[in-house]
């Protein structure tokens, strides 16, 4: 599979799906759901220029420290010693992929809607915590070193999860009183289909093809644990 990928006989999307499968990740287990990277950092421009390296996320860094400002807090957390000596050191107390995160992204689509309601003791979680905007979700990642969710494969092929086709009442935001309905898209996307098309194009772009292995090292490769993980600020609880 690696050789096929290097020879460009399979796409970046296919290669990531195969890696997830080999790593034991599966659509049948929310706790081991396939994980895909955030690949863009520009969610505000009117046009998306895939020839400009500045629109892409730095794939060599864990999502928690893509914003340099967060690195200090992350290092401080790692250097905190557990007085009882029970807990190993870690940079992040949460994970880049977990069941709640999958339900967060897929809340508008069954069976994930019902699973989310079960998780929240029989009701929807408060509107401010819902997945309601792609630009706002990215901004939250940049502002908060404790939010380290990567993406799921649906961001590259499934426009329906961005629409509230079932008309669920997801509440309204506290400050703006805005009703949470369809997911708010980046300015450069004119519809959910357009977002998926451009996002998939970005995944297969020259820049991502040249740097994807750096992210793979963090999630599936040698930077998962040990000294390489510590150096890369990539140690999870």
């Amino acid at each position: 599979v690696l050789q096929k990928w290097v020879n460009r006989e399979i796409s970046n999307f296919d290669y990531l799906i195969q890696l997830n499968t080999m790593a034991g990740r599966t659509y049948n287990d929310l706790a081991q759901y396939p994980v895909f990277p955030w690949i863009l950092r520009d969610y505000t421009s009117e046009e998306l220029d895939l020839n400009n390296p500045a629109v892409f996320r730095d794939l060599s860094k864990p999502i928690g420290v893509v914003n340099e400002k967060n690195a200090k807090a992350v290092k401080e957390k790692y250097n905190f010693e557990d007085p009882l000596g029970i807990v190993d050191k870690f940079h992040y107390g949460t994970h880049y992929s977990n069941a709640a995160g999958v339900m967060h992204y897929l809340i508008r689509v069954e069976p994930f809607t019902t699973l989310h309601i079960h998780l929240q003791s029989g009701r929807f979680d408060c509107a401010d915590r819902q997945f309601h905007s792609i630009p706002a979700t990215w901004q939250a990642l940049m502002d908060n070193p404790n939010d380290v969710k990567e993406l799921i494969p649906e961001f590259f092929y499934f426009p329906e999860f961005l629409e509230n086709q079932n008309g669920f009442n997801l509440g309204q935001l506290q400050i703006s009183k805005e009703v949470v309905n369809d997911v708010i898209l980046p300015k450069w996307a004119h519809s959910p289909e357009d977002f998926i098309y451009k996002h998939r194009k970005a995944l297969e772009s020259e820049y991502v093809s040249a740097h994807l292995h750096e992210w793979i090292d963090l999630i599936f490769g040698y930077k998962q644990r040990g000294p390489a993980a510590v150096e890369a600020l990539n140690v999870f609880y």
Side-chain angles (χ1 to χ4, degrees):
V1 171
L2 172 66
Q3 209 47 57
K4 275 186 169 174
W5 179 59
V6 169
N7 296 344
R8 302 205 170 190
E9 290 164 26
I10 60 173
S11 66
N12 292 338
F13 181 89
D14 285 337
Y15 186 48
L16 286 171
I17 284 286
Q18 302 246 25
L19 281 177
N20 272 285
T21 303
M22 289 175 200
R25 290 185 168 274
T26 165
Y27 286 104
N28 300 321
D29 182 351
L30 289 182
Q32 295 289 341
Y33 208 76
V35 57
F36 267 55
W38 283 92
I39 51 171
L40 295 171
R41 57 188 298 172
D42 180 357
Y43 296 96
T44 52
S45 299
E46 300 288 343
E47 296 291 326
L48 182 64
D49 177 8
L50 295 179
N51 295 316
N52 177 6
V55 307
F56 293 97
R57 165 242 176 127
D58 182 345
L59 286 158
S60 69
K61 292 179 178 164
I63 194 69
V65 289
V66 166
N67 182 350
E68 282 290 336
K69 288 210 274 283
N70 293 338
K72 185 167 175 275
V74 163
K75 285 176 185 163
E76 279 171 6
K77 184 178 277 188
Y78 185 82
N79 290 325
F80 174 76
E81 290 281 353
D82 174 20
L84 300 174
I86 300 166
V87 179
D88 289 337
K89 292 178 162 198
F90 60 87
H91 292 118
Y92 312 102
T94 174
H95 209 247
Y96 52 76
S97 168
N98 57 40
V102 176
M103 289 182 248
H104 175 75
Y105 287 138
L106 295 175
I107 188 170
R108 291 163 179 78
V109 192
E110 289 288 16
F112 304 96
T113 313
T114 299
L115 290 166
H116 167 90
I117 290 168
H118 281 317
L119 181 71
Q120 298 296 335
S121 314
R123 56 186 168 73
F124 284 113
D125 193 9
C126 94
D128 288 73
R129 285 200 289 267
Q130 303 293 19
F131 174 49
H132 77 280
S133 158
I134 292 172
T137 302
W138 173 257
Q139 198 49 52
L141 285 172
M142 292 303 94
D143 296 342
N144 179 4
N146 299 316
D147 186 355
V148 293
K149 277 192 293 296
E150 289 280 10
L151 296 182
I152 52 176
E154 283 80 354
F155 274 83
F156 300 93
Y157 66 80
F158 185 50
E160 286 81 0
F161 90 101
L162 298 166
E163 299 174 287
N164 187 11
Q165 292 184 351
N166 295 311
F168 293 123
N169 178 2
L170 300 171
Q172 55 183 161
L173 304 180
Q174 278 175 329
I175 294 172
S176 67
K177 300 296 178 213
E178 182 187 345
V179 172
V180 176
N181 193 23
D182 294 347
V183 176
I184 295 165
L185 303 171
K187 284 183 183 167
W188 45 257
H190 307 302
S191 66
E193 290 76 13
D194 189 46
F195 171 79
I196 296 290
Y197 170 74
K198 288 173 178 164
H199 203 214
R200 181 70 171 264
K201 213 170 168 180
L203 179 65
E204 303 302 340
S205 68
E206 206 48 55
Y207 179 91
V208 173
S209 299
H211 293 276
L212 189 57
H213 66 281
E214 297 171 345
W215 183 82
I216 290 168
D217 286 341
L218 294 167
I219 306 293
F220 300 108
Y222 77 105
K223 291 184 179 175
Q224 285 179 81
R225 56 187 60 170
V230 176
E231 194 179 335
L233 305 181
N234 195 41
V235 180
F236 290 83
Y237 177 66

